Amino acid sequence: MEYFLQQLINGVTLGSIYGLIAIGYTMVYGIIGMINFAHGEIFMLGSFIALTVFLALAALGITFLPVVILIMIIVAMLCTALWGWTIERVAYRPLRGSFRLAPLITAIGMSIFLQNFVQVTQGARVKPLPPQIQGTITLLDGPGGIAVQISYMQIIIIAMTIVLMTAFALIISRTSLGRQQRACEQDRKMASLLGVNVDRTISLTFVMGASLAAVAGMMYLLYYGVIDFYIGFIAGVKAFTAAVLGGIGSLPGAMLGGLAIGLIETFWSGYFSVEYKDVAAFSILAIVLIFMPSGLLGRPEVEKV
């Protein structure tokens, strides 16, 4: 029982990171019906920007951890938001009215470009960061020396995910921007006729998704302490899988899918084999989509006539 609870905590932590990245996928798809395959690389850029800020602050003698983390979050979110806006403006907006395959090819090309850009500028070697937030809380002492523990870093990740998820849900449900996003999701042409600035709404959606990915990248850096130019592709594929599993276009579905993928990977690694954790995750995705093509919380797509 203790081992199960420990794996549950680890899975929720990993799933929270996947969920934050998956929200970016599902927001973009919900509005313009396009998969932004460069979103995983935005997550990777966020982690590299956070590491750069941390090293710069350390060089300046600023080591008070709460201040350092706050500055890392702000700078990473601002920089990735700018990247997200630029990618949408340069790579996706000109192809918005083209055939559906063109934006997909552009997204894959942008993903490869960002990977190679970071590889050339930062090098291909792994970038380590010593643990900054240490300490654990023992929740349960079991027989045989097995204890259920949760680290302070895990608490921060889970709490930050809950706060951000709640904030974004409120933005989408209760603000003018959220109403514009929902209008564009239903019918972009009609939203434009009613006075909604569709281009600005889509750009802000990319900016919001990129900001969430930056937070996920920073938490990944602090939690695992190791990053490289390739983490965006791996995490991006997992987060896209989470968005599809939860129901592409649904924010709660993206979070639920992220938690599901994190739990599947963690439990499979803990009880079976680490080498086949990806096989388990994608196999369960295939099984779910066979019986629930719209995902766990997705809505069937209605064709307009």
Side-chain angles (χ1 to χ4, degrees):
M1 183 63 180
E2 289 78 11
Y3 186 73
F4 173 84
L5 292 175
Q6 186 64 64
Q7 296 302 320
L8 179 64
I9 293 172
N10 297 338
V12 169
T13 305
L14 178 61
S16 298
I17 296 175
Y18 285 156
L20 285 179
I21 309 172
I23 289 175
Y25 280 108
T26 202
M27 287 175 66
V28 171
Y29 182 85
I31 291 182
I32 62 176
M34 187 192 75
I35 302 299
N36 178 19
F37 277 114
H39 190 64
E41 275 57 48
I42 296 294
F43 156 81
M44 178 265 296
L45 285 172
S47 64
F48 269 91
I49 293 168
L51 178 60
T52 303
V53 172
F54 177 86
L55 296 176
L57 293 175
L60 294 173
I62 303 175
T63 57
F64 186 56
L65 200 56
V67 174
V68 171
I69 292 178
L70 180 61
I71 296 175
M72 288 169 64
I73 290 177
I74 294 174
V75 175
M77 290 181 71
L78 289 175
C79 291
T80 54
L82 181 60
W83 268 104
W85 180 86
T86 304
I87 289 172
E88 190 278 331
R89 187 68 183 84
V90 174
Y92 299 146
R93 186 180 297 185
L95 296 174
R96 197 180 297 161
S98 180
F99 61 99
R100 294 180 64 90
L101 193 58
L104 177 63
I105 297 172
T106 303
I108 296 173
M110 183 59 66
S111 171
I112 296 172
F113 166 77
L114 291 176
Q115 276 188 40
N116 286 272
F117 172 75
V118 174
Q119 182 182 7
V120 170
T121 57
Q122 301 295 324
R125 291 185 178 181
V126 169
K127 302 295 186 294
L129 178 70
Q132 301 298 315
I133 301 175
Q134 302 183 16
T136 60
I137 298 175
T138 301
L139 302 178
L140 183 65
D141 282 320
I146 300 177
V148 179
Q149 295 180 329
I150 183 170
S151 67
Y152 293 133
M153 189 64 225
Q154 289 176 318
I155 295 174
I156 291 173
I157 291 174
I158 295 172
M160 191 175 293
T161 300
I162 293 173
V163 170
L164 289 173
M165 181 65 190
T166 304
F168 269 72
L170 291 175
I171 288 173
I172 290 175
S173 62
R174 299 188 180 182
T175 65
S176 175
L177 174 60
R179 288 190 293 271
Q180 293 173 16
Q181 288 176 321
R182 284 180 278 128
C184 291
E185 178 183 0
Q186 293 179 7
D187 193 323
R188 292 205 303 273
K189 184 177 292 186
M190 180 59 69
S192 177
L193 292 174
L194 293 174
V196 175
N197 191 329
V198 175
D199 288 339
R200 186 185 65 182
T201 302
I202 294 175
S203 294
L204 288 176
T205 302
F206 272 81
V207 167
M208 292 168 64
S211 301
L212 277 181
V215 177
M218 191 206 70
M219 293 192 300
Y220 184 96
L221 169 68
L222 293 175
Y223 186 56
Y224 289 103
V226 175
I227 59 172
D228 59 37
F229 73 97
Y230 199 63
I231 62 169
F233 177 78
I234 302 297
V237 170
K238 299 289 182 63
F240 173 66
T241 303
V244 175
L245 179 62
I248 193 76
S250 168
L251 256 66
M255 202 67 241
L256 178 62
L259 291 174
I261 295 296
L263 290 171
I264 291 168
E265 285 192 7
T266 304
F267 279 116
W268 192 273
S269 301
Y271 285 98
F272 299 102
S273 172
V274 177
E275 288 80 6
Y276 292 97
K277 62 184 178 66
D278 294 339
V279 176
F282 290 115
S283 297
I284 292 178
L285 169 68
I287 293 172
V288 170
L289 293 182
I290 288 173
F291 296 99
M292 303 175 66
S294 300
L296 297 175
L297 299 181
R299 293 169 295 179
E301 187 171 337
V302 178
E303 185 177 354
K304 300 182 179 70
V305 296

